[in-house]
Amino acid sequence: MSAGELSPWWRYGLRVASPLVRLAFGVRMTGLEHVPARGPTLLAFNHVSALDGPVLAVAFAARTGRPVRFLVAAEFFRRRVHGWVLRTFEQIPIRRGEGDGAALDAGLEALRSGSVIAIAPEGAVNADPEHLQRIRRGIARLALPTGAPIVPVGMWGTQTRWPRGGMRWSRPWRPTLVLAFGPPILPDGDVASEDDVDMLRDRVRDRLEDQIAIARSRAAR
């Protein structure tokens, strides 16, 4: 099975999870035409909730038929249930704050095999979703050596149900969730050049801010 095909586990998981996502949120997706139908692809999304990764994975795979691999904090792999799910769906552990070369190598290998890799370049859930946190360099270090296009994804709505402070049960009972996919950013430069890495990182930040604004506007309608 190629990297771009849904495994039996993915197909089963989508049958279970897709109705749950639709029950929890009124999902709106825009700009999916910007996502390549095949080949290495990076999704760069803003991180407003612990629900972002699962919701993005389910909604994206259900609409495109492409599985998504995330760089996930290594501590989650040590939890019995979480770890089993993450390993079954071939997610990539990363040791945050340690310059994890093994995670970078695994991400590069996955991209070269044609996978979709999703990464939250802020690195952690944002307590103030209206303002992006510092964007980390990892997204550029994955894109520059592989030439993988970076699709910025603005997410807005998951924080209504689960902000950084924890699960919240209040109205609206089925909040609107918008995923706004933007035109791909084509990487240009040398990964060995700090200036090139920083330039691409800044481009990602600017374009991600644009998509967040679109997502917020559509969620407010």
Side-chain angles (χ1 to χ4, degrees):
M1 179 175 296
S2 71
E5 297 178 354
L6 294 173
S7 70
W9 275 114
W10 265 99
R11 291 194 293 270
Y12 174 77
L14 288 176
R15 285 197 295 270
V16 173
S18 291
L20 296 177
V21 170
R22 292 194 299 269
L23 180 66
F25 296 99
V27 181
R28 301 176 185 173
M29 301 179 72
T30 181
L32 272 174
E33 68 274 10
H34 297 306
V35 180
R38 62 185 63 85
T41 305
L42 278 159
L43 304 179
F45 63 97
N46 59 309
H47 208 357
V48 296
S49 168
L51 297 176
D52 294 338
V55 168
L56 175 58
V58 170
F60 179 84
R63 288 288 297 274
T64 67
R66 301 192 70 185
V68 189
R69 299 181 69 183
F70 290 77
L71 272 66
V72 181
E75 56 264 29
F76 289 105
F77 284 79
R78 294 192 287 270
R79 301 178 183 178
R80 180 174 297 179
V81 176
H82 289 79
W84 180 84
V85 171
L86 292 169
R87 286 187 290 272
T88 298
F89 288 87
E90 298 184 310
Q91 305 306 301
I92 300 170
I94 181 169
R95 296 188 299 274
R96 293 185 292 190
E98 298 182 24
D100 192 346
L104 180 63
D105 289 343
L108 292 171
E109 181 180 354
L111 287 169
R112 288 172 177 140
S113 72
S115 293
V116 177
I117 297 290
I119 183 170
E122 293 172 280
V125 175
N126 192 345
D128 181 14
E130 295 187 7
H131 301 93
L132 274 176
Q133 303 173 97
R134 178 173 67 92
I135 298 297
R136 300 170 187 272
R137 290 175 160 185
I139 187 77
R141 298 195 185 281
L142 288 168
L144 287 171
T146 60
I150 304 168
V151 178
V153 186
M155 298 190 66
W156 199 261
T158 45
Q159 76 276 15
T160 304
R161 182 61 64 232
W162 195 333
R164 182 168 175 172
M167 184 72 79
R168 177 186 297 163
W169 293 106
S170 60
R171 293 181 182 274
W173 301 121
R174 188 170 177 261
T176 297
L177 166 64
V178 178
L179 306 177
F181 296 79
I185 303 164
L186 302 181
D188 180 30
D190 184 350
V191 71
S193 166
E194 295 297 318
D195 288 342
D196 289 349
V197 169
D198 288 345
M199 187 177 299
L200 181 54
R201 178 193 60 186
D202 292 345
R203 288 172 61 199
V204 170
R205 180 184 184 88
D206 291 345
R207 293 284 299 282
L208 189 52
E209 286 181 333
D210 292 342
Q211 294 310 122
I212 295 168
I214 292 171
R216 290 184 64 184
S217 174
R218 300 203 172 201
R221 293 179 186 176

